[in-house]
Amino acid sequence: QVTLRESGPALVKPTQTLTLTCTFSGFSLSNSQMCVSWIRQPPGKALQWLALIDWDDDKYYSTSLKTRLAISKDTSRNQVVLTMTNMDPVDTATYYCARTGGSSGCHTGGNYYFDSWGQGTLVTVSS
Amino acid sequence: EILLTQSPGTLSLSPGERATLSCRASQSVSSSYLAWYQQKPGQAPRLLIYGASSRATGVPDRFRGSGSGTDFTLTISRLEPEDFAVYYCQQYRSSAPWTFGQGTKVEIK
């Protein structure tokens, strides 16, 4: 059974750096083709893909946010970490991590869909 | 970056009725790299359809995805009470970024 869980601060101040951790089980990022993404959703708004990391430590970022984002992994702990710098109130959102590409992996056939999601963590940016 | 436009914004229907949701891409989504998700209030999205027409594990067969190129459709043949939710399409062509539509809310009439 695949599970993912996000953790991190519920409140950050403007200009601060946000660090979120995704802890997962049921698969391993040491396995070929496995990938994990971060996606966010402002209150009442649509989903926005942010970043992806794969088993080979290749990283992909949202075009509009790539200067502020960094994604990394700790394979031994089954964790993926997302940092976002210079936080602003418009970054208030629920942040999700998701396995990408299913059990076959994301690069197999270009399967960059999100098959298993964490429950999400709401991050509010306010002074 | 591929822009996805979903229509209608809100669909008001009764249980047992058929729902037809549209997702249009600003450029061709090669090889039908299109997914659909269902999201209920306070919950994470759930993958319903990938590859434009393949149902994810455990998804009832009343959910059907179709389309290719720039025009895709999610059809729910007979709405069950648990189907009232927001639905998002997502394109995942070979290169990032991968984008979502703005969502269609299916509400009880």
Side-chain angles (χ1 to χ4, degrees):
Chain A
Q1 181 188 5
V2 173
T3 65
L4 304 100
R5 177 172 49 87
E6 306 85 354
S7 58
L11 179 66
V12 297
K13 290 180 167 47
T15 75
Q16 286 187 334
T17 294
L18 171 69
T19 299
L20 295 172
T21 300
C22 173
T23 304
F24 57 87
S25 63
F27 68 100
S28 174
L29 265 178
S30 63
N31 290 352
S32 180
Q33 306 298 324
M34 285 294 115
C35 307
V36 172
S37 292
W38 283 94
I39 298 139
R40 73 177 180 180
Q41 184 174 37
K45 295 188 178 181
L47 300 160
Q48 180 186 21
W49 172 79
L50 298 176
L52 177 148
I53 190 166
D54 69 16
W55 86 103
D56 203 27
D57 211 34
D58 290 324
K59 300 160 187 177
Y60 305 81
Y61 295 104
S62 161
T63 305
S64 60
L65 292 170
K66 62 182 177 182
T67 60
R68 299 173 52 206
L69 294 173
I71 191 170
S72 61
K73 63 182 175 69
D74 184 334
T75 303
S76 64
R77 293 187 175 186
N78 280 350
Q79 290 182 333
V80 171
V81 175
L82 181 76
T83 61
M84 180 180 290
T85 61
N86 195 25
M87 293 293 284
D88 184 271
V90 300
D91 297 313
T92 294
T94 297
Y95 288 76
Y96 297 99
C97 61
R99 189 177 74 167
T100 308
S103 57
S104 300
C106 67
H107 297 316
T108 303
N111 289 325
Y112 304 106
Y113 56 82
F114 313 109
D115 69 295
S116 298
W117 296 64
Q119 86 281 4
T121 185
L122 175 62
V123 178
T124 301
V125 184
S126 175
S127 54
Chain B
E1 182 168 314
I2 296 179
L3 179 67
L4 297 178
T5 302
Q6 292 187 240
S7 61
T10 302
L11 201 49
S12 298
L13 295 167
S14 301
E17 290 194 294
R18 180 185 188 95
T20 303
L21 289 66
S22 174
C23 177
R24 177 163 289 178
S26 60
Q27 55 186 283
S28 179
V29 177
S30 57
S31 301
S32 296
Y33 288 148
L34 196 286
W36 289 93
Y37 301 83
Q38 176 193 67
Q39 187 177 33
K40 298 179 181 179
Q43 296 184 17
R46 170 198 179 197
L47 176 67
L48 295 177
I49 301 287
Y50 62 94
S53 60
S54 297
R55 277 187 297 274
T57 303
V59 175
D61 59 7
R62 63 180 181 273
F63 291 91
R64 178 175 172 268
S66 61
S68 63
T70 60
D71 290 299
F72 298 86
T73 301
L74 176 69
T75 303
I76 310 171
S77 57
R78 287 178 57 86
L79 283 165
E80 298 287 340
E82 62 268 27
D83 299 336
F84 292 91
V86 179
Y87 293 84
Y88 294 95
C89 58
Q90 176 233 338
Q91 65 79 22
Y92 55 97
R93 68 171 187 178
S94 59
S95 58
W98 303 294
T99 51
F100 292 88
Q102 83 279 16
T104 290
K105 181 180 182 181
V106 179
E107 65 176 21
I108 300 176
K109 187 175 181 180

